[in-house]
Amino acid sequence: MNQPAHPLGEIVRHGNGDTSLRFERQLARPPERVWRALTESDQLRHWMPCDIVGARAAGAEVAAPFWEDIVAKYGIEDTVLTGRIVTWRPPSTFAWEWDDELLTYDLEPSPAGTQLKLNVDLGSKGPDVHLVAAGYHICLDQLCALVDTGEAPPFTNADPSQYEALYAQLADD
């Protein structure tokens, strides 16, 4: 098994039975550049399996349609999920609900560029936590490539199997 390009996230089990994922990444660009990658459709296309369609404002209802190539590769039947923007504070905090997950992105300037923290509060509908964690790890790998180099490999070429095994070990600990 190859060594991951970026550190693994954490699987956090809360006393009430809920589970969260926490990831951190250091990006070599300023927060404004990372913010665009997190929130603009032409940037989301490279690292997120879906678009965000709707007003960019706290409280706004949004649609989250999966990209066509993602639908085809994974045989997704429910191709548009609903969501809502919870927090919108450019360029530091963006939180949105996507189906039954809450994603919170926090950006902090750092000497090297931007410290990105992603917290994902998982819902009960999704697959096993190790599969979800591997998926978000791949998303962040793609995001880092896009922000740091200006391009990312095709999202559908990413293979999560290595991460699935690593996160399965974390989930069992």
Side-chain angles (χ1 to χ4, degrees), residues 34-51:
V34 179
W35 184 264
R36 283 194 312 275
L38 292 175
T39 62
E40 295 179 7
S41 294
D42 67 320
Q43 302 289 298
L44 289 166
R45 178 69 185 98
H46 297 283
W47 69 272
M48 188 73 179
C50 67
D51 195 0

Side-chain angles (χ1 to χ4, degrees), residues 17 29 78 138 140:
R29 299 286 182 257
D78 193 4
I138 290 286
L140 289 173

Side-chain angles (χ1 to χ4, degrees), residues 14-84:
H14 304 283
N16 63 1
D18 291 345
T19 302
S20 296
L21 304 172
R22 293 188 185 143
F23 299 91
E24 290 190 30
R25 296 289 185 272
Q26 180 62 49
L27 294 121
R29 299 286 182 257
E32 294 78 13
R33 170 64 186 105
V34 179
W35 184 264
R36 283 194 312 275
L38 292 175
T39 62
E40 295 179 7
S41 294
D42 67 320
Q43 302 289 298
L44 289 166
R45 178 69 185 98
H46 297 283
W47 69 272
M48 188 73 179
C50 67
D51 195 0
I52 300 172
V53 179
R56 304 302 203 257
E61 299 293 323
V62 295
F66 287 95
W67 305 107
E68 287 182 21
D69 57 340
I70 299 295
V71 169
K73 180 174 181 175
Y74 296 103
I76 296 171
E77 292 180 18
D78 193 4
T79 61
V80 180
L81 301 177
T82 59
R84 184 175 66 85

Side-chain angles (χ1 to χ4, degrees), residues 80-95:
V80 180
L81 301 177
T82 59
R84 184 175 66 85
I85 295 180
V86 176
T87 306
W88 184 261
R89 286 194 304 264
S92 62
T93 304
F94 170 44

